[in-house]
Amino acid sequence: MSKQDTLAADVTVTQRLIAVAASRDAHTALVSASGTPGQPAGEIYSYTRLAAIVQVAAAGLAWRGLQAKDPVGIHVPDAVSFVLAAHAVRAAGGVPCPVAPGLSVAEMAGQLAESGARMLITAPPLAEAALGAADRSWVRQVFSFGDAAATTPFTDLLGLGIMRAVGSRRHDIALLPFSRGQDGRLRPTPVSHIELTDRLDRIDVRAGFTDSDVVLVGPPAGDGLAYATLLDSALLCGATVIAVDARQLAGPAAADRAVAQRATAAIVP
């Protein structure tokens, strides 16, 4: 049965991930490898812990004013932070809006302003640029994984209760990436829940992730659409995702890292 069949009209990818996590118990979902910015080295998230943090962080975002269909900028340097941020936003009914790490502060500010985002989630070492962009946009609250001056720690979102993930209509926006056109300008390219599900189905056919896979994943890249879809496909299939620094996926180091982690697949820029 495809995700197209199992994800009903009012069931989001995030709801599906939370639901399947319950059956995986302590199976490892996410690992932050050494040298990965944004998360403590060696931090491990079981599927149960991942689902719990997503729902607790969603409650924190809602308490701080996030409403249904509100876009939230996601400007983070690693896969673990990306997964936690994007799914917490969607669980609260918001729309994750990936902001590419390679953008200038002016471009970031333009994207945030055009999206209408009033919240931004970031992490060192991107926090300084994120704050600069926030000051030139509608963003009024900046949350950070890890310590960063003038930001609110992501952990402050935890401990305010737990929120059952919000459902959505299939044609509502699930992800709001910005893509660069031929003229060089960044433009919003919204992806609906049904479109995201269709992309996941096509990736399943080609990638074929299973719960036995260990997937090495580099930092966010591009507009975030392919990155988010590949990550979700791996997690929905029960794979273990290990976030690694970009240098660990380049040259001879890539083979060494794959052997050390017993990896079976990699998601690279």
Side-chain angles (χ1 to χ4, degrees), residues 227-239:
Y227 188 80
T229 311
L230 285 163
L231 273 172
D232 286 344
S233 178
L235 291 169
L236 284 168
C237 292

Side-chain angles (χ1 to χ4, degrees), residues 85-108:
H87 284 290
V89 168
R90 192 178 293 124
V95 179
C97 181
V99 180
L103 298 181
S104 68
V105 171
E107 287 177 320
M108 290 167 53

Side-chain angles (χ1 to χ4, degrees), residues 4 11 21 46 48 52 111 121 143 173 179 181 211 232 236 248 263:
Q4 186 81 16
V11 177
S46 68
T48 300
Q111 175 177 335
I121 302 175
F143 305 97
I173 300 174
S179 301
D211 59 6
D232 286 344
L236 284 168
Q248 296 171 340

Side-chain angles (χ1 to χ4, degrees), residues 77-80 215-221 227 231 242-246 249 266-269:
D78 64 280
V80 174
V215 186
L216 300 182
V217 183
Y227 188 80
L231 273 172
I242 300 179
V244 296
D245 185 84
L249 290 176
I267 298 174
V268 299

